[in-house]
Each structure stands twice: as structure tokens, then as C-alpha cells.
Amino acid sequence: MRMAVMGASGRMGQMLVRLIDESDQATLSAVVERAGHDWIGCDLGQAMGAGPRGVVVTDDVAVALAASDVIIDFTSPAVTVALAQAAAAAGVAHVIGTTGFSEEDLAAIARAGQTGRIVRAGNMSLGVNLLVTLTRQVAAALGADYDIEIIEAHHRHKVDAPSGTALMLGDAAAAGRGVALADVADRGRDGITGARKPGAIGFHAIRGGDFIGEHDVIFAGEGERITLRHVASDRALFARGALKAALWLKGQGPGEYSMLDVLGL
Ligand code: NAD
């Protein structure tokens, strides 16, 4: 399968290039960076600090789409929304790992998914997607007298909060309780907040150092607490999930899918 990597110089982009190189089911068809980036026009191998490999980094999305069956995209929300429209129009599948979308962004991606083939997941790992299903089950089993708090930790460069994964977990907890997350989310308390609102789902974000991604879902009741925890210790985890999603999309019709679909959860 011919795969293009968007944001090729990024933390996830470089990881994806390495994994595609190792795969016997995928070939690297194009690598894209933003216009004006130092790597544009350079050989990818040399830009990554190795020998030349004959793939030139481009800022031309149309060229990348024409050469590819799927694009894998860990960039930023505005870039991803535009790519979703372009990929759907070109009949190229789109794996979206980007996080930090607004409601309008999500609606635009859903529109692209009416004709295009998309997998979008705030977290591509098997463990986190299992945690999503467990969170939903535990929230449904425990009822609203257990307070739900979601704590996440990421590296100092992360630009959005709460993380896409924390929001996935919050959605799952809200679904387990039969409510909409938007109605109960309580993000980053500060100051004289008053007592905790019954049924709220709280979010807290730690940023620092080189945390790859850690998530705790706490169910706090009277006399006991349950914590569901996931710790990512290698970024390759997310890239492997993205590659799996890209290969899975080959056999699918139009739609916006999640990693739960890809993993059969
Ligand atoms: P990063 O900043 O290291 O990489 C982003 C790259 O995108 C940069 O190289 C940037 O130059 C490039 N870019 C910007 N505009 C572009 C454009 N118009 N065309 C092509 N490339 C462009 O960030 P990162 O740590 O790799 O994370 C990227 C995104 O992926 C973030 O939203 C992050 O939260 C998300 N992420 C998701 C998962 C997951 O499992 N879903 C895992 C890790 C990170």
C-alpha cells in the first residue's frame, strides 16, 4: 500500500517513516512538510541524518495525494481539516492522529467522511482503546455517586489540553452514564470553584519533560476509589497503530471510523 506521511519532520512523522520502511505491506510514496520548512526540497534520508534515499520532501499536497493510496497525518487541526477535504476529493484514504479539534473542525471532518475513508483517533494504541471500553463499562456499572476525574500527563511541547485521549476517555465515561460529555465536563479547576458538581467529569493536564502520554481515570466513591491507568513508554506504539489503521482502510467503504473499529473492539 502506498503511504504518504504528512508532517514528516515531526515527532510522530519521523517515527512513521521508520515504521513504513520496516513494513513489507507498505511503501513510502511521499513525505510532506509545511511550506517554508527547512526540509522542503531536501532528500528525506539526509534530512533525517542518514544517507540519501531518493525521496524528496515536498509541500505540494496534490503531488503527494496523486502518488498515494493513503495519507497518514499527525500535524495540526487546521492542516488536517484541509487535508480531509482534499483526500476525500482525490479518493485517497486518510488516517488522522492529530488532536485538538474544535466542534467546527470535527463537523468538517465528518462531512469529508461522507465520501472519503477516514480513521480518526485521539490515541492509536491498543491499550488506550481497551481502556476506553473499560471506562465505559465501569462508568455504567458504578453510577453517578462515583465521581469521575481524568488526569493526563504529556511532554512540555504538547499544545492542546486536555489531550485527545483524555477526551476519548471522557466521552466513554459520559456514554456509560448516558449523558453528553459537553454537559458534564469540568476542565482544569482553579480558584473558589465551589463544591464539586454532582455528575461532573473533571479533567486535569500535567505538562513537562518527556512524558510520552499517561492517563488515569479515577472513580472516587465513599470509602473506595478505582483507578484505570495507561502509560505509554514508546511513541512507536502510536505509529504502529496508525499503520494498522492505514492497512485496514484498504478494505473499507466511505465513512469516518475509529480505532475501536480497526481493532474490532
Ligand atoms: P510535532 O510538532 O512534532 O509534528 C507536527 C509536524 O507537522 C511538524 O513537523 C510540522 O512542521 C508539521 N506541519 C505543520 N503544518 C504542516 C503542513 N501544512 N503540511 C505538512 N506538515 C505540516 O507534533 P507531534 O508530537 O508529532 O504530534 C502531532 C499531532 O499528533 C498532535 O496533534 C498530537 O497531539 C498528535 N498525537 C496523536 C497521537 C495519537 O495516537 N493519535 C499520538 C501522538 C501525537
Side-chain angles (χ1 to χ4, degrees):
M1 200 173 182
R2 299 171 305 157
M3 299 189 182
V5 173
M6 319 309 292
S9 82
R11 275 174 289 270
M12 287 303 303
Q14 295 199 43
M15 192 63 78
L16 282 158
V17 165
R18 290 196 188 95
L19 275 188
I20 292 171
D21 280 348
E22 286 166 14
S23 169
D24 52 11
Q25 292 173 278
T27 54
L28 187 66
S29 50
V31 281
V32 181
E33 256 301 339
R34 65 177 161 73
H37 191 281
D38 289 352
W39 285 21
I40 301 298
C42 299
D43 181 277
L44 175 68
Q46 285 174 324
M48 288 177 71
R53 53 174 293 172
V55 179
V56 173
V57 183
T58 181
D59 57 5
D60 191 334
V61 172
V63 166
L65 287 171
S68 308
D69 302 309
V70 60
I71 56 173
I72 308 186
D73 171 12
F74 288 70
T75 56
S76 65
V79 175
T80 296
V81 168
L83 281 173
Q85 287 153 2
V92 173
H94 190 186
V95 175
I96 300 176
T98 309
T99 63
F101 296 110
S102 66
E103 290 301 320
E104 294 75 38
D105 293 337
L106 292 174
I109 292 169
R111 279 196 298 280
Q114 288 167 3
T115 52
R117 291 168 296 140
I118 297 171
V119 171
R120 184 180 65 83
N123 193 301
M124 301 271 174
S125 88
L126 172 61
V128 158
N129 284 281
L130 268 176
L131 196 71
V132 166
T133 57
L134 290 174
T135 296
R136 185 180 174 134
Q137 285 170 9
V138 175
L142 290 178
D145 48 345
Y146 282 74
D147 298 325
I148 303 177
E149 297 282 305
I150 298 173
I151 304 175
E152 51 103 342
H154 282 86
H155 53 87
R156 60 167 70 104
H157 304 290
K158 186 165 178 61
V159 296
D160 54 314
S163 69
T165 306
L167 293 171
M168 282 167 67
L169 293 165
D171 267 329
R177 284 186 165 172
V179 297
L181 181 62
D183 296 336
V184 295
D186 193 358
R187 295 184 178 198
R189 298 183 196 94
D190 185 23
I192 310 296
T193 58
R196 192 179 198 286
K197 293 184 200 74
I201 296 178
F203 289 90
H204 313 278
I206 294 166
R207 293 288 176 268
D210 61 356
F211 279 103
I212 291 178
E214 303 195 3
H215 293 85
D216 283 1
V217 185
I218 301 170
F219 297 85
E222 295 281 343
E224 65 176 356
R225 283 192 297 279
I226 299 169
T227 301
L228 301 179
R229 157 170 283 204
H230 182 268
V231 176
S233 50
D234 184 352
R235 197 164 270 117
L237 178 74
F238 309 127
R240 277 196 295 273
L243 207 65
K244 194 176 188 122
L247 292 167
W248 179 86
L249 269 173
K250 195 172 188 175
Q252 307 305 317
E256 184 187 354
Y257 303 94
S258 73
M259 276 313 274
L260 297 179
D261 300 313
V262 175
L263 296 168
L265 294 171

